[in-house]
Amino acid sequence: MADKKRKAAPVYFKMPMVSRDPVLSSAGKPLDPWAGIRAPSSTHSPHVELDGEHDGTSSAHPPQKKAKAPSERMKQFLRWAGRVQSTILEREEGPVYPVRCTAPCPSVITSEETVYRCFDCYHPPIECQSCVVAAHQRNPFHRVEEWQPALGFWQRRSLFDLGLVIQLGHREGPCYSSDPPRRTTIVHEHGIHSALIKFCECRKDVDEPSIPQPLQLIKFGLFPGSWRTPETAFTINGLRDYHLLSLQSPITAMDYVAYLRRSTDGVQPDEAKDRYRELNTAMREFTFLRSARRASQEPKEELPQGGLAVRCPACPQPGVNMAPDWDKRLDEDAYLDTLFYSVDGNFHHSQKMKPMDPNDAPLTKGAGYFVHEDDFAEYQARVKPPKKEDSSCNKFAALGHGRYTGRVSGIVGMTCSRHMFVIPNSLVDLVAGEGFAWGDFSQLSGLQPWLHVLKLLCRGYDVNCQYDVKFALRLAEFRRNFSHLKSVKTTHFPPTRSLIPKFHAAAHTVMCGVYRSYNYTPGVGMTDGEAAERIWAAFNALAIRTKEMTAGHRHDVINDFHSDMNVRRVHSMPQALAAKHRNARLQLADAANHLEAMESKIEDKATLQEWRRAEAEWECAVLDPAKHKKLRNPYLLDKSKGLTEKQLVDMMNRMREARKEQSIGPLGVIHQGLVLERQREQLLDELEGDNSDNISQGLTLRCGEYISRLAAWTTSRDTCIGPLINAAEKLVREKDASTDPHPSDAEPLSPSSSGTSSRVHRSMRIVPYLPPDLQNESCADSRLGPDFPFRDTQHDCGSIEKGLPPVRSPTGKSDLWQDVYNTTVLLPSAYDIRVLRQTCMQDMVKLEDELRRAQARDALDDLRTAIIGREAYKIQKKHVAGKKHTSRATFNIRNMEDDVREAANRYRRLRIALIALGMEESDDTFRLLWRGDVARYTLDAQHKVLGESSQSKPWIWEHYTYAAAEGDAQYQSFYDDGGYLLII
């Protein structure tokens, strides 16, 4: 073939090597080695950047990537999209003739000859047929394409159609066997191929047969679809890919084969061979081999009990992870060696009632997470079918109260409560329902490694209250009838703490939910008993596959799935346990501090000692269910001694009325100002809630009365407090003039101008002010500000998330709202701290400070009462029926939410006023009120919710006193201390 001159020669370029040290220009500035390879713009200018990632500074290193918002990322992409599309299409362009074939082939291909390229190779050369076949002897399943000049595109071809033959048994060179190649279907990770495979018939010795064909395939990297004369094989990498996808997605075998067929031929996928049945069989065999290899077990029919399962490395295993003298521990320390496990049923994993092989046994029989299938079959045949269990508490599905279909209605099994491992040899197939007999067999089989060893077990089961009633009788019957079963050798249980998982406790009676609570049982810690529910959440997605499978195949797939889950938990256990340990230490310290603070508020030490004695008695007796009926629970409130909401509200009203007694002089003026200040906020709240076009007449009259009262109060204020404020202001200005070379020209504010000034209404937005130490520094080094003599309030509003009262925006408000908003009540707290520090102001500051502290305590009282009312209405809503009653409860809840919001914001404004008067920011009594602090605190165990025991208690509930009933001697101090007892 003539060697002609090419029309266009390929251009190659190399990325610049980036040094760790900056390269300097002649001017001594570092050069940017990335400048020459930045992406050009759509105008092909080499100096215009498209993505804006570079800031124009020179650097010896590429700029660090910054996370972009999706909108910015898409805008960036659209600037690139046109050129990216053009570059992709360039890959589909045809060859430029003449084409020189790759070395050592001397051919120069003209337009009359066929050329090929590989779809899966990177930078694929354009080659002739013989060269492309020779180059893929080690990559026989790459997809090649043939250029069709008449059609103008690259068409997919098979290497085997071009003459490629896979030679087995020889790494190099041909096999001289006379047998012709066999057409074999190969299922690869990117498609289904029809390959030519030549098996080796060579023998090492005359008396020895040749290597079996299935083993030749495996040596090459193919897994045979059958074991006599394989006509289908799967690449081992493809089986690994599908195995991982099925565990993570989980994708069904049918969907995976459909994907492969579409990958083979996207136009007519049905033309590709269907290997769904063969894939199911091969995957079952392949995963069994992987499980045996991981467990160091020989893949055979009889395997050790649980030999293929992955056990929890953190649960007690004598001789493995327990102290050498663990069996000598005292009884009170037995919880250190306790196995915590949960029993639960799952009705998603059923099996359809359809024709299937009745003799199909699992490859993992007795070696995985199911009980030994042969032993359970005998047990199931001799035990009466489960019926609806009698219940004095609830009607869970575990008691047979449900509808069930299929050959298998679900499974019941055991999990490690603390580490979420499925316990080997514990899963049982259910028939018709979760009868107690099936739960018995699950525990007897799964607990075999521990029953004869450990001193204490802790079982979580959502029906433990009913399950325990005849548990001993069922065990005795099991010993009489099934002591010969090889998978169950020990049937005697050590002492077992039988508890109700926290999430299910709410569905039980108080006797069950509290006396069997994980919260109040010694030695349990923060275990919640709900590990099984978390496992089922991930496990249920597998049911769409397993319900269609035969019995043996179903067990093999489920065993493999649970092994994968357990393996992943082993890998993540160091980080998970370390995080739990850190959280536990923080929670322990927080709980200890909280308990110490609460006990320090109890003056009656005799009562405190009685409570401790009752708790100690509880911890000893609660472990024996026989004592529950006569055992007094110290964690349940005596509702007969709790104050009703009406009693609380009536007494608070009487206390408030007593506090509103008129006083003479500055105290009376400041007290009236505080009353007007609160009235102003209440009117603004009501006006914001009403339609500006439909304000009630009563509300209008109240606004007018407020403005009139404010005008009268302003006169009293100017007479009583105004001269003191003017004197203090004058002293500050004189001091500032003596130290400042440019004294302020501002004139003193006339007392009469402080009534309805539109400028000073900002002083009502009471928010965090500078702490005293910062205020001292600012006063010493700065001139008087433009707001003097008032304090700077430009940051006096913000987000509730930061503990600030909300911003009041005048936009869109009614004229009446504007009139009220533009008024102000000028109390000492509205003035600059330098004014308040003058000697003449000390008495005024002290009076307002005392009154505001009382108001702040009242605000916290109102906040706690509103939270109690809100939660009480929520409980009421759960126990009422009918639209009328639920609507009324919802209305009441919304009203209480408004009261909670109003009390919280009132407290926030009062706290900042106190800071303006000189209170420390770190004051322990009046702390910053975050959104998370405005929450319930349930003392009554009956109404606790899941997760509440691990949360920190809001500080607003730290100071309270127990009041037995109205009229108690302690009742007065109960209100004086500003505390409430949450009685819901």
Side-chain angles (χ1 to χ4, degrees):
M1 188 177 295
D3 186 5
K4 299 181 180 180
K5 186 176 180 180
R6 299 288 303 273
K7 292 183 180 180
V11 178
Y12 300 94
F13 67 93
K14 189 162 57 175
M15 300 290 283
M17 297 297 293
V18 181
S19 172
R20 293 183 179 273
D21 299 321
V23 181
L24 302 181
S25 66
S26 58
K29 296 182 178 181
L31 294 175
D32 185 1
W34 298 84
I37 56 174
R38 291 175 181 163
S41 67
S42 57
T43 59
H44 300 275
S45 171
H47 305 294
V48 180
E49 298 175 5
L50 292 179
D51 54 10
E53 291 183 354
H54 303 283
D55 57 5
T57 60
S58 298
S59 173
H61 301 284
Q64 294 182 353
K65 293 183 178 179
K66 297 180 179 179
K68 288 184 171 65
S71 58
E72 292 298 322
R73 178 72 182 182
M74 292 303 102
K75 289 179 182 178
Q76 177 186 357
F77 163 72
L78 289 176
R79 293 195 294 268
W80 282 85
R83 299 192 61 225
V84 170
Q85 188 75 290
S86 299
T87 305
I88 292 175
L89 293 176
E90 286 177 7
R91 291 169 51 88
E92 303 300 322
E93 292 180 354
V96 180
Y97 293 102
V99 178
R100 181 179 296 278
C101 198
T102 56
C105 179
S107 303
V108 176
I109 306 172
T110 64
S111 58
E112 290 80 14
E113 299 179 74
T114 304
V115 294
Y116 300 88
R117 73 174 187 183
C118 180
F119 180 80
D120 294 312
C121 288
Y122 292 96
H123 283 304
I126 297 176
E127 302 173 299
C128 64
Q129 178 176 338
S130 59
C131 288
V132 75
V133 170
H136 285 84
Q137 290 295 326
R138 296 185 183 276
N139 294 294
F141 305 116
H142 275 200
R143 293 163 289 186
V144 298
E145 296 174 322
E146 176 185 298
W147 176 250
Q148 297 291 338
L151 301 177
F153 64 85
W154 292 94
Q155 186 175 26
R156 188 73 56 84
R157 292 294 302 274
S158 170
L159 281 167
F160 303 101
D161 292 340
L162 301 180
L164 179 64
V165 176
I166 297 176
Q167 175 63 63
L168 301 182
H170 297 267
R171 288 186 177 273
E172 301 291 343
C175 177
Y176 297 100
S177 171
S178 59
D179 293 343
R182 182 193 307 163
R183 182 68 68 172
T184 306
T185 299
I186 304 297
V187 181
H188 192 271
E189 50 263 39
H190 59 52
I192 301 175
H193 304 266
S194 180
L196 289 172
I197 297 181
K198 183 176 177 60
F199 291 91
C200 177
E201 298 297 332
C202 299
R203 302 182 180 183
K204 292 184 178 180
D205 189 80
V206 178
D207 299 329
E208 293 184 6
S210 60
I211 299 176
Q213 293 181 1
L215 300 184
Q216 292 186 44
L217 288 171
I218 292 174
K219 285 187 175 184
F220 185 76
L222 301 174
F223 195 86
S226 59
W227 300 99
R228 291 183 180 177
T229 306
E231 296 183 356
T232 298
F234 301 83
T235 62
I236 292 179
N237 287 338
L239 292 179
R240 287 174 176 167
D241 285 350
Y242 172 62
H243 187 206
L244 185 59
L245 281 171
S246 67
L247 294 171
Q248 184 64 35
S249 304
I251 185 174
T252 66
M254 182 173 291
D255 288 335
Y256 185 66
V257 170
Y259 151 75
L260 293 176
R261 298 177 77 184
R262 290 188 61 184
S263 181
T264 304
D265 190 338
V267 179
Q268 293 180 306
D270 291 342
E271 295 296 323
K273 293 184 178 181
D274 184 0
R275 287 297 182 263
Y276 164 70
R277 182 184 61 185
E278 291 81 356
L279 177 62
N280 265 331
T281 302
M283 275 303 303
R284 185 177 174 185
E285 298 164 347
F286 181 72
T287 55
F288 172 69
L289 293 172
R290 298 192 82 181
S291 298
R293 183 169 71 250
R294 177 177 57 217
S296 299
Q297 296 287 343
E298 181 184 355
K300 57 183 181 180
E301 186 173 0
E302 294 293 333
L303 289 167
Q305 186 83 352
L308 299 182
V310 179
R311 299 184 181 275
C312 175
C315 284
Q317 299 181 41
V320 178
N321 60 0
M322 298 177 66
D325 57 346
W326 68 270
D327 55 340
K328 299 178 182 179
R329 293 188 196 271
L330 300 177
D331 291 341
E332 55 264 29
D333 296 329
Y335 69 92
L336 295 172
D337 305 305
T338 299
L339 174 68
F340 292 83
Y341 70 95
S342 299
V343 183
D344 196 29
N346 185 316
F347 294 98
H348 288 272
H349 276 269
S350 58
Q351 184 186 34
K352 287 187 175 180
M353 184 71 74
K354 67 178 188 179
M356 57 181 61
D357 184 2
N359 299 318
D360 180 51
L363 298 173
T364 57
K365 184 197 300 184
Y369 300 90
F370 280 90
V371 299
H372 196 284
E373 284 79 359
D374 294 342
D375 287 356
F376 182 69
E378 179 182 350
Y379 177 80
Q380 190 177 37
R382 296 174 57 185
V383 172
K384 295 181 180 179
K387 61 179 181 178
K388 291 184 180 180
E389 305 284 354
D390 296 331
S391 175
S392 59
C393 182
N394 58 57
K395 292 187 178 181
F396 284 138
L399 302 174
H401 297 271
R403 300 177 61 185
Y404 314 100
T405 58
R407 180 176 281 107
V408 174
S409 60
I411 61 175
V412 64
M414 296 163 48
T415 62
C416 164
S417 296
R418 289 186 163 176
H419 314 107
M420 287 181 61
F421 280 70
V422 179
I423 294 179
N425 300 121
S426 68
L427 298 184
V428 169
D429 282 332
L430 300 177
V431 178
E434 189 181 337
F436 290 162
W438 309 149
D440 295 341
F441 197 94
S442 171
Q443 293 178 71
L444 285 169
S445 175
L447 295 176
Q448 286 300 299
W450 294 283
L451 289 182
H452 66 290
V453 178
L454 296 185
K455 294 182 178 181
L456 183 64
L457 301 177
C458 184
R459 175 180 64 234
Y461 196 9
D462 52 11
V463 290
N464 259 335
C465 55
Q466 309 301 315
Y467 179 80
D468 289 343
V469 175
K470 299 180 180 179
F471 181 59
L473 296 177
R474 294 195 302 271
L475 285 183
E477 185 177 358
F478 186 95
R479 296 186 193 102
R480 287 194 300 270
N481 299 323
F482 302 102
S483 58
H484 62 282
L485 297 181
K486 61 181 181 180
S487 62
V488 181
K489 299 298 184 182
T490 305
T491 58
H492 292 277
F493 274 65
T496 302
R497 296 176 181 176
S498 182
L499 308 178
I500 304 294
K502 291 184 179 181
F503 182 77
H504 292 81
H508 288 254
T509 62
V510 176
M511 181 67 70
C512 298
V514 177
Y515 286 76
R516 295 178 179 270
S517 172
Y518 276 88
N519 289 328
Y520 307 122
T521 300
V524 172
M526 296 304 297
T527 307
D528 60 19
E530 298 289 358
E533 299 294 343
R534 299 183 181 95
I535 293 175
W536 298 157
F539 180 45
N540 288 341
L542 188 67
I544 193 173
R545 295 171 53 198
T546 57
K547 66 176 56 178
E548 305 284 349
M549 297 177 179
T550 60
H553 190 190
R554 175 174 168 271
H555 280 202
D556 287 336
V557 170
I558 292 177
N559 283 333
D560 180 63
F561 182 87
H562 285 313
S563 283
D564 177 71
M565 291 186 69
N566 286 4
V567 165
R568 285 189 284 172
R569 289 195 171 88
V570 170
H571 295 165
S572 62
M573 183 168 283
Q575 293 81 5
L577 291 183
K580 287 183 177 181
H581 183 256
R582 288 193 298 269
N583 292 336
R585 295 187 64 180
L586 294 174
Q587 291 176 6
L588 176 62
D590 182 67
N593 293 335
H594 179 69
L595 179 62
E596 182 180 359
M598 291 175 61
E599 291 184 345
S600 65
K601 303 297 180 181
I602 301 175
E603 297 180 358
D604 187 355
K605 301 304 179 183
T607 300
L608 181 59
Q609 292 299 324
E610 173 61 21
W611 290 348
R612 289 173 176 169
R613 186 200 60 77
E615 182 182 30
E617 179 183 347
W618 159 271
E619 291 183 350
C620 293
V622 72
L623 304 180
D624 185 0
K627 300 180 181 179
H628 285 180
K629 291 185 178 181
K630 297 182 179 180
L631 180 62
R632 177 183 175 274
N633 190 329
Y635 304 109
L636 284 179
L637 296 180
D638 188 350
K639 300 300 178 62
S640 63
K641 292 186 178 181
L643 297 176
T644 65
E645 181 182 359
K646 184 176 184 302
Q647 289 175 321
L648 285 173
V649 174
D650 289 345
M651 180 55 68
M652 178 174 289
N653 289 334
R654 292 197 293 272
M655 295 291 294
R656 297 289 166 78
E657 291 173 1
R659 292 187 180 125
K660 292 179 180 179
E661 295 178 356
Q662 295 296 325
S663 301
I664 301 173
L667 178 60
V669 172
I670 294 177
H671 182 263
Q672 290 179 10
L674 294 176
V675 173
L676 287 171
E677 181 182 275
R678 181 178 179 184
Q679 186 179 1
R680 175 184 182 271
E681 297 299 329
Q682 290 175 337
L683 290 173
L684 290 175
D685 288 340
E686 293 185 47
L687 288 169
E688 286 179 353
D690 285 4
N691 190 331
S692 59
D693 298 330
N694 187 25
I695 298 176
S696 65
Q697 184 178 1
L699 183 56
T700 304
L701 291 175
R702 287 167 54 201
C703 291
E705 291 174 358
Y706 159 74
I707 294 175
S708 299
R709 291 182 60 192
L710 178 61
W713 176 83
T714 302
T715 302
S716 301
R717 179 252 181 215
D718 293 344
T719 302
C720 187
I721 305 177
L724 298 175
I725 293 177
N726 286 339
E729 176 187 351
K730 182 179 179 180
L731 290 172
V732 175
R733 288 188 183 277
E734 289 175 352
K735 182 179 179 181
D736 183 72
S738 64
T739 58
D740 194 334
H742 303 287
S744 174
D745 296 329
E747 296 295 332
L749 184 65
S750 172
S752 61
S753 66
S754 61
T756 57
S757 170
S758 61
R759 183 187 72 82
V760 296
H761 71 269
R762 291 181 303 157
S763 64
M764 294 303 302
R765 302 179 206 156
I766 301 178
V767 262
Y769 194 62
L770 287 175
D773 54 345
L774 296 181
Q775 291 171 347
N776 291 335
E777 295 176 6
S778 63
C779 292
D781 301 329
S782 63
R783 298 171 54 185
L784 299 178
D787 290 328
F788 188 82
F790 302 104
R791 62 186 181 89
D792 183 11
T793 59
Q794 60 179 338
H795 301 296
D796 278 8
C797 53
S799 170
I800 296 177
E801 300 292 343
K802 299 179 181 180
L804 307 178
V807 180
R808 290 196 188 275
S809 174
T811 305
K813 299 298 190 302
S814 64
D815 293 339
L816 187 57
W817 188 93
Q818 301 282 356
D819 292 340
V820 176
Y821 178 69
N822 288 329
T823 63
T824 188
V825 184
L826 284 178
L827 292 164
S829 57
Y831 288 87
D832 192 286
I833 189 65
R834 290 165 289 191
V835 173
L836 302 184
R837 283 180 177 161
Q838 302 305 312
T839 304
C840 60
M841 287 296 298
Q842 293 303 301
D843 290 340
M844 299 299 103
V845 171
K846 183 177 180 180
L847 287 175
E848 184 181 353
D849 181 81
E850 291 178 353
L851 290 173
R852 284 202 183 270
R853 286 177 182 270
Q855 278 194 332
R857 286 192 292 267
D858 290 344
L860 290 176
D861 288 350
D862 292 345
L863 176 60
R864 286 186 283 255
T865 300
I867 293 175
I868 291 171
R870 179 189 64 187
E871 299 301 323
Y873 281 126
K874 287 182 178 179
I875 294 174
Q876 181 188 30
K877 186 177 179 181
K878 294 180 180 179
H879 295 88
V880 298
K883 183 177 180 181
K884 176 181 178 181
H885 297 292
T886 55
S887 298
R888 181 181 299 174
T890 302
F891 176 77
N892 291 333
I893 291 172
R894 290 176 180 172
N895 285 342
M896 297 308 298
E897 287 283 5
D898 293 338
D899 292 346
V900 169
R901 192 179 305 109
E902 185 276 332
N905 290 331
R906 174 158 42 99
Y907 168 80
R908 293 183 178 111
R909 287 189 289 268
L910 289 166
R911 180 180 182 273
I912 305 310
L914 286 170
I915 293 175
L917 292 169
M919 185 185 79
E920 296 288 342
E921 284 268 10
S922 58
D923 186 89
D924 186 62
T925 303
F926 302 108
R927 307 180 201 174
L928 190 63
L929 186 64
W930 301 90
R931 180 187 289 271
D933 295 324
V934 185
R936 59 181 262 172
Y937 172 32
T938 308
L939 291 179
D940 188 356
Q942 183 179 356
H943 296 104
K944 281 188 178 292
V945 296
L946 185 63
E948 190 170 347
S949 58
S950 62
Q951 298 174 357
S952 299
K953 305 300 182 290
W955 67 265
I956 63 173
W957 300 104
E958 289 183 359
H959 307 288
Y960 68 86
T961 303
Y962 183 82
E966 184 177 359
D968 262 13
Q970 296 180 358
Y971 195 81
Q972 185 68 33
S973 63
F974 170 74
Y975 279 97
D976 291 340
D977 291 343
Y980 276 109
L981 177 64
L982 183 55
I983 60 173
I984 62 172

